[in-house]
Amino acid sequence: MVTVFLANGFEEMEGLAPVDLLRRAGVKVQTAAVNEDGGKWVTGSHGVTVACDINAKEVTEEEMQMLVLPGGLPGTNHLDASAEVDHWLKVASKKGIFIAAICAAPSVLGNRGLLDGRRAVSFPGFEPKGATICKGEGVVRDGQYITARGAGVCLDFGFKLIECLCGEEKALQIKEGIQCQR
C-alpha cells in the first residue's frame, strides 16, 4: 500500500498525479488527510478540494510499501508539523520502506536527518538539510528515498515511483499508455 499524505495547501499536481499513475499501474494507493480535526477533506494550494480516503490518524503499517509527500505551501509546513507524518517517516525509514517527496517536501525529510549524505533534489530554496543536491536532475533516487524538483516533473516522479514498486517495464507501459513523449 502506498500512502500519500495530503495537507491543506498541498500542490495538487504533485499529490494527485502520482496517485493516478500508481493506480493505473495496479498499485494500492490511499490518500491520507493531514488535519487535526480528524476529517478527510483538504484543499490544495490552488483551491482544489479533495476528499481523502482516510485521515492520517487512521494510517496503519499493514502492507505499507511507500510514503509520498507532495510539496506546496503551506502544505509542506503542515506535513512537517504533523505528529502522524513524523511517526510514519520514522517507521518507514527504520524498515527500509520507500519514502518519496517532491518540491518543498524533501525539506521535511531533511529536517529529520533522513537525507544526510544522500543525493536529493527539491524546489530551489527548500534544499533538504544534509543532502547532496543534484543540480540539473528532476527526480533522484538514493536507496529508499526518492525526491523530485517540483510540479514540472510530477509525471517523471510518478513513473519513478512505479519503477521502484513494479519495475521499469511497468513504468514504461504506463508512460506509453498516457502518451507521454518524454
Side-chain angles (χ1 to χ4, degrees), residues 58 93 114 124 143:
E58 299 173 90
S93 180
L114 299 178

Side-chain angles (χ1 to χ4, degrees), residues 121 137-141 146-149 153-154 156-158 160:
V121 292
E137 293 189 50
V139 180
V140 172
R141 176 181 174 192
I146 304 110
T147 56
R149 191 167 299 285
V153 297
C154 66
D156 295 331
F157 180 61
K160 180 58 78 175

Side-chain angles (χ1 to χ4, degrees), residues 107-130:
S107 66
V108 175
L109 307 182
N111 289 344
R112 287 155 177 76
L114 299 178
L115 297 176
D116 287 355
R118 295 188 177 274
R119 299 171 62 247
V121 292
S122 68
F123 193 84
F126 291 90
E127 291 82 3
K129 295 175 191 169

Side-chain angles (χ1 to χ4, degrees), residues 17-68:
V19 171
D20 179 282
L21 293 171
L22 287 162
R23 286 183 178 170
R24 287 173 191 258
V27 176
K28 289 172 60 176
V29 181
Q30 65 184 2
T31 53
V34 177
N35 57 36
E36 291 304 312
D37 69 5
K40 296 180 183 179
W41 291 91
V42 293
T43 301
S45 60
H46 299 99
V48 177
T49 300
V50 176
C52 292
D53 299 309
I54 62 172
N55 183 275
K57 295 174 185 187
E58 299 173 90
V59 173
T60 67
E61 196 173 333
E62 185 179 341
E63 301 180 52
M64 187 177 284
Q65 297 175 282
M66 179 182 285
L67 302 179
V68 180

Side-chain angles (χ1 to χ4, degrees), residues 63-143:
E63 301 180 52
M64 187 177 284
Q65 297 175 282
M66 179 182 285
L67 302 179
V68 180
L69 305 179
L73 291 175
T76 297
N77 298 332
H78 295 309
L79 295 175
D80 203 23
S82 167
E84 288 80 18
V85 171
D86 185 62
H87 169 76
W88 290 113
L89 288 174
K90 288 175 183 173
V91 169
S93 180
K94 285 180 188 172
K95 295 195 171 212
I97 293 167
F98 287 112
I99 299 173
I102 183 169
C103 193
S107 66
V108 175
L109 307 182
N111 289 344
R112 287 155 177 76
L114 299 178
L115 297 176
D116 287 355
R118 295 188 177 274
R119 299 171 62 247
V121 292
S122 68
F123 193 84
F126 291 90
E127 291 82 3
K129 295 175 191 169
T132 300
I133 304 305
C134 300
K135 296 186 187 289
E137 293 189 50
V139 180
V140 172
R141 176 181 174 192
D142 189 335

